[in-house]
Amino acid sequence: MKKINIKLKLNFAAGAILGLLLIASCENYLDKAPEATITEKDAYGNFRSFQGFIEELYNCIPDPNKCGAWNQYLFADEVLNNNLYAFDQGNYWSQGSYMYGTSVNTDNNSRTKRLWPLAWYAIRKANLALAKLPLLADATQEEKDLIRGQALFFRGFMYFELMKWWGGLPYIDTVLSPTQDLSFPRLTYKETALKAAADFRAAANLLPMNWDDIDAGQQTLGNNDARINKLHALGYLGKNYLYAASPMMNESSGGPAAFDTELCKLAAAAFAEAIKLNDQTGRYQLQSWATWTDNFWVWSPSNRTMSGGTEVIMNCHVFDAGRVRWSTVGQTCPVQFGGNTSTVEVPTWNYIKNYAMANGLPISDPLSGYDENDPWANREPRFYSDIAVDGDKMVASAASGPDQFIQTYTGGSHRGTANGTVTGFYYKRYSPIGCNQWDNKWSAFQAYVPFLRLADIYLMYAEAVLQGYGSPSSSDPGLPALTAEGALNIIRNRAQLPNITVAYTASKEIFMEEIIRERAVELAYEGARFQDLRRWNLNTLPKYKIKTALDFDRDPDTGKPVNIKERTVLVRVAEKKHNWLPFQVSFTKQYEGFPQNPGW
């Protein structure tokens, strides 16, 4: 289990250090006693103080679910909101108030954090740290490497987070002065990604696998899980390469709308190195199926244990451990707080169809045994863990009366636009039984959307190897024993499914379809789907734009669904221009070298 650290501190004078960002222009602001002056040597001269300066970078990691009051950009064809999100209607301008904001907020309200200002603030802070490293005299080489490695990682990470939404950007890698020319041209996605890759690679070379195993980490022994390490850097090095290699990014950089095989090979090499090192050290481990939900939620009576278990490599930063009851849970439980269900995000039937049968075959396979008249019988284990279907128990206490078991059939009390789900389903990846006003266990509960976990590393390795080397039986030269097919099977097997059958390894194209489906299931509701569909150039295809519901009656004798009919609820507006978010207009008018994204 991971401990929650609302502030990652080494008992440093954080407030005084933050003032150094502006000290050059404020030296004469007030008359002050000589002993009140904080010099650069005080701030950057020893490891404890410098690490305190670095640790504010961790506070710049926004919770992807809570940033912007339940982030509407996490989902593509996964969920439907009863009020219909502006993104579904093609209105990407609506991201202004959610992603941009007006300033870097320093409070502990996770809903006030905005990606754009936090990322640029962190990039400047990382550059400042790198520029001040020569002042770090009272430190071992190990400590100096830790400072440099963290600064490099955060610069690359923040650029990756910006790039995946807006595309190529100017790559600022020095401390800027207000008096210099700030007209930096936009780079292509590939150009920006290669610069981020250099930062990730350098960070990986400098950082340890586990801070608990090094001298510098002994001061915070047992509380180092959230600190950036070698696996963070290698994981994002591979992910950064894979995104840059993907068809949408490759096309936007001047290449064909297909995978860049050389970048895929670089991605595969990074993932292979990460997997090999992790196998050698045991730093992270896939959760067993029995503990799979630890990735997403845990019971935490003291609110000091964070979800993530042994598998999550990078989680969000916890600004307020009590906030989870109002966000992750509140948006996915049909009876939370008596149910303001008009704002609940509910899974779509078209997405639920990605979940395989218990025998591991997709429901579209004639041999799968799927019965369209009994659509949630004999499905794979992740289906029952993730999806709440009609008749499922959602409240332990009988005091909840008719709300104890959900009623999502047509006319049921938890079905409809005003009082329940539009689609006939709820998802419960972040909502175990107990988080409701009758069981009242939400105050002892923590749930977070992971940024990166080990399962994703295996799936991205499978994709990178397949697209880089051309076959499901291919492997990276640095990890010859693990094929693309083998990596996929590791994740399938953990979910109690057999190895993928020969029929689905017959060609690169067929196997890629299984990777797409497997990522949809394993990474459901984790913010991966919208990014995946875009980078694969699939976001505009009709099959991925249609959001459907399942209408049905409940058989009074068997309790099973009857009179079943799939119905289109919404067709998302997604055109070529929706590959990227638009920049705020004021940004594009500052100078000619910063053009708006195409179509906006």
Side-chain angles (χ1 to χ4, degrees):
M1 297 295 183
K2 292 178 169 60
K3 292 182 179 178
I4 292 176
N5 292 304
I6 298 206
K7 299 291 183 185
L8 295 172
K9 288 186 176 179
L10 286 177
N11 298 318
F12 57 89
I17 293 169
L18 293 182
L20 285 171
L21 288 172
L22 299 174
I23 198 169
S25 60
C26 299
E27 288 180 349
N28 298 321
Y29 179 64
L30 292 173
D31 291 330
K32 51 191 177 295
E35 62 271 17
T37 300
I38 299 175
T39 67
E40 287 195 333
K41 182 179 179 180
D42 295 327
Y44 305 111
N46 65 80
F47 175 69
R48 180 183 293 272
S49 182
F50 209 137
Q51 179 63 25
F53 177 81
I54 283 289
E55 290 197 353
E56 195 191 15
L57 290 169
Y58 290 84
N59 285 26
C60 294
I61 305 172
D63 183 328
N65 188 53
K66 302 178 190 67
C67 178
W70 311 300
N71 197 327
Q72 58 188 287
Y73 321 113
L74 285 176
F75 309 109
D77 57 346
E78 288 170 277
V79 303
L80 184 74
N81 180 272
N82 292 357
N83 288 337
L84 303 184
Y85 281 143
F87 254 42
D88 283 344
Q89 299 168 329
N91 179 15
Y92 285 12
W93 290 111
S94 66
Q95 48 82 20
S97 62
Y98 290 91
M99 305 290 273
Y100 282 116
T102 57
S103 62
V104 177
N105 288 289
T106 58
D107 59 32
N108 283 333
N109 182 357
S110 56
R111 295 179 65 193
T112 68
K113 311 303 176 185
R114 300 293 183 264
L115 173 60
W116 184 268
L118 282 171
W120 287 113
Y121 181 83
I123 289 167
R124 173 171 173 79
K125 193 173 181 72
N127 286 334
L128 186 60
L130 293 168
K132 299 300 182 183
L133 262 173
L135 299 175
L136 181 55
D138 184 12
T140 65
Q141 188 59 50
E142 174 184 87
E143 291 169 338
K144 293 177 182 179
D145 288 347
L146 289 173
I147 297 295
R148 183 182 294 276
Q150 289 172 97
L152 288 168
F153 173 83
F154 274 107
R155 187 168 69 188
F157 173 76
M158 291 302 176
Y159 265 109
F160 176 77
E161 288 295 300
L162 291 171
M163 279 190 295
K164 70 183 184 182
W165 296 107
W166 289 283
L169 293 162
Y171 206 89
I172 311 301
D173 55 9
T174 60
V175 179
L176 301 179
S177 166
T179 60
Q180 72 184 91
D181 181 12
L182 302 180
S183 301
F184 298 98
R186 282 189 67 185
L187 305 178
T188 66
Y189 192 100
K190 182 176 181 179
E191 290 170 337
T192 316
L194 289 177
K195 287 183 176 293
D199 283 345
F200 286 132
R201 179 69 267 176
N205 294 341
L206 293 166
L207 294 169
M209 284 289 287
N210 191 339
W211 282 58
D212 280 357
D213 296 336
I214 61 174
D215 290 340
Q218 298 309 298
Q219 299 176 72
T220 49
L221 188 66
N223 291 291
N224 290 316
D225 273 346
R227 298 187 190 279
I228 300 302
N229 63 38
K230 194 180 294 290
L231 255 292
H232 291 80
L234 288 174
Y236 271 98
L237 174 63
K239 191 170 185 176
N240 174 61
Y241 275 136
L242 183 59
Y243 270 56
S246 298
M248 184 185 82
M249 285 71 168
N250 191 31
E251 183 181 20
S252 74
S253 300
F259 279 95
D260 182 319
T261 56
E262 294 307 309
L263 286 179
C264 283
K265 290 177 181 178
L266 291 174
F271 293 134
E273 183 180 352
I275 293 170
K276 189 173 182 179
L277 280 171
N278 191 60
D279 286 346
Q280 292 169 352
T281 63
R283 178 66 179 88
Y284 298 95
Q285 297 178 353
L286 291 174
Q287 296 289 148
S288 67
W289 174 248
T291 64
W292 183 63
T293 56
D294 283 3
N295 283 312
F296 318 114
W297 62 267
V298 290
W299 296 118
S300 178
S302 63
N303 274 343
R304 298 298 298 173
T305 301
M306 191 173 185
S307 60
T310 62
E311 183 173 330
V312 172
I313 299 169
M314 185 170 182
N315 233 324
C316 62
H317 181 74
V318 182
F319 293 98
D320 178 1
R323 185 69 211 171
V324 65
R325 62 178 286 187
W326 296 96
S327 50
T328 310
V329 175
Q331 288 298 288
T332 59
C333 182
V335 292
Q336 178 74 348
F337 312 122
N340 180 14
T341 52
S342 64
T343 61
V344 169
E345 297 153 345
V346 294
T348 58
W349 174 243
N350 56 283
Y351 194 79
I352 294 171
K353 288 191 288 187
N354 284 299
Y355 289 80
M357 299 298 287
N359 58 17
L361 295 174
I363 66 172
S364 58
D365 191 317
L367 300 178
S368 70
Y370 175 68
D371 183 357
E372 62 182 15
N373 292 314
D374 197 1
W376 42 86
N378 301 316
R379 301 295 286 271
E380 63 153 291
R382 288 173 296 189
F383 175 94
Y384 300 108
S385 181
D386 279 350
I387 307 300
V389 302
D390 181 54
D392 277 358
K393 188 175 185 178
M394 291 299 289
V395 181
S397 173
S400 60
D403 286 321
Q404 187 172 21
F405 298 89
I406 61 171
Q407 305 167 44
T408 60
Y409 55 87
T410 302
S413 62
H414 302 121
R415 181 68 184 264
T417 57
N419 63 344
T421 171
V422 179
T423 64
F425 305 91
Y426 291 95
Y427 73 93
K428 51 187 178 180
R429 179 162 288 201
Y430 305 100
S431 297
I433 293 177
C435 292
N436 55 73
Q437 65 267 39
W438 297 283
D439 298 331
N440 199 29
K441 293 179 67 175
W442 53 45
S443 61
F445 175 76
Q446 291 293 306
Y448 297 94
V449 180
F451 268 95
L452 181 68
R453 57 187 177 97
L454 193 56
D456 194 13
I457 297 288
Y458 281 106
L459 292 177
M460 289 189 291
Y461 173 85
E463 180 184 344
V465 166
L466 176 71
Q467 297 299 338
Y469 294 96
S471 167
S473 61
S474 300
S475 60
D476 181 82
L479 196 61
L482 185 62
T483 64
E485 178 183 351
L488 184 70
N489 282 333
I490 286 173
I491 305 307
R492 287 173 59 92
N493 294 164
R494 189 266 295 274
Q496 308 295 288
L497 298 178
N499 288 348
I500 191 170
T501 63
V502 175
Y504 292 97
T505 61
S507 71
K508 181 173 76 172
E509 292 71 25
I510 291 174
F511 187 69
M512 184 63 195
E513 286 298 316
E514 279 302 285
I515 289 177
I516 291 172
R517 192 181 62 77
E518 181 62 32
R519 285 186 65 83
V521 174
E522 177 64 27
L523 304 176
Y525 319 114
E526 292 183 47
R529 185 63 167 183
F530 184 57
Q531 306 297 343
D532 281 346
L533 290 184
R534 288 168 53 244
R535 68 184 180 88
W536 291 327
N537 262 346
L538 301 178
N539 192 43
T540 61
L541 296 186
K543 67 177 289 188
Y544 295 110
K545 292 198 296 184
I546 297 174
K547 294 190 173 187
T548 66
L550 205 64
D551 295 334
F552 58 93
D553 298 318
R554 181 191 287 180
D555 187 297
D557 297 320
T558 66
K560 291 189 173 184
V562 293
N563 303 322
I564 301 170
K565 182 179 180 181
E566 184 173 6
R567 172 173 54 88
T568 296
V569 180
L570 175 75
V571 178
R572 290 192 302 116
V573 176
E575 305 166 3
K576 188 77 170 180
K577 72 176 186 178
H578 293 106
N579 283 352
W580 305 106
L581 270 63
F583 291 102
Q584 296 296 284
V585 174
S586 60
F587 296 171
T588 65
K589 291 183 177 181
Q590 294 183 33
Y591 57 91
E592 291 184 0
F594 199 96
Q596 180 60 274
N597 278 326
W600 297 104

